[in-house]
Amino acid sequence: DTAVSQTPKYLVTQMGNDKSIKCEQNLGHDTMYWYKQDSKKFLKIMFSYNNKELIINETVPNRFSPKSPDKAHLNLHINSLELGDSAVYFCASSQEWGTSYEQYFGPGTRLTVT
Amino acid sequence: GDSVTQMEGPVTLSEEAFLTINCTYTATGYPSLFWYVQYPGEGLQLLLKATKADDKGSNKGFEATYRKETTSFHLEKGSVQVSDSAVYFCALSHTDMLTFGGGTRLMVKP
């Protein structure tokens, strides 16, 4: 069983569209995250949720809205997609909120906006 | 704010060569330090970590020592294999937020 799964793996869409990426973890973890990796492989945290509550919201346009229906799921909805949103988006989870807990990453969703 | 700086890649080595990937950080206090590895087409996996000064993290032949005096966490391996070809990310964490370096691509040739 995959620990952290994301769907879809690839997403190609046009500017102005609205899309969602889903993430599920079966590890029983309390904390989940979304990261964005740009074309140069630079990784940046976007959001962090602990027990379904938003903990971190970095400087991300409000077109990006995370939703956590339960502890095992953290979905990312993006409105009015722009060319600059093209990137690989990674979901991750960790056991608890704390510095030394390993984060487990999903396989990524490659979003291409044309 | 916190930041992590890694040597730019790609680093190209022959099999069985010695590997060093430099990583330095800027942070207040005592962050935890990590190395993550990303194989082609996959997500990141934790390679090793250290949570306090002078700790040495090790895994799969890779090692890194938390050096507070030089604010460094360099990754080393004595003998690389073709299967080690990947992108390596150094990262630090104060709370639960990982701050990543830019990544270093390692290519190992047979």
Side-chain angles (χ1 to χ4, degrees), chain A residues 31-48:
Chain A
T31 309
M32 295 184 72
Y33 316 81
W34 277 108
Y35 289 87
K36 179 181 180 181
Q37 185 177 46
D38 64 23
S39 58
K40 296 183 178 180
K41 297 288 189 182
F42 184 72
L43 264 165
K44 188 169 172 58
I45 183 81
M46 299 175 70
F47 301 101
S48 173

Side-chain angles (χ1 to χ4, degrees), chain A residues 60-105:
Chain A
V60 176
N62 57 15
R63 298 182 294 105
F64 290 79
S65 54
K67 293 284 192 301
S68 182
D70 55 57
K71 272 182 16 174
H73 296 85
L74 180 63
N75 304 323
L76 183 65
H77 188 75
I78 316 170
N79 289 327
S80 303
L81 278 155
E82 300 177 357
L83 292 176
D85 298 332
S86 295
V88 181
Y89 293 84
F90 287 100
C91 177
S93 72
S94 65
Q95 183 177 340
E96 291 180 21
W97 178 258
T99 59
S100 61
Y101 289 108
E102 175 180 356
Q103 292 190 19
Y104 292 78
F105 284 76

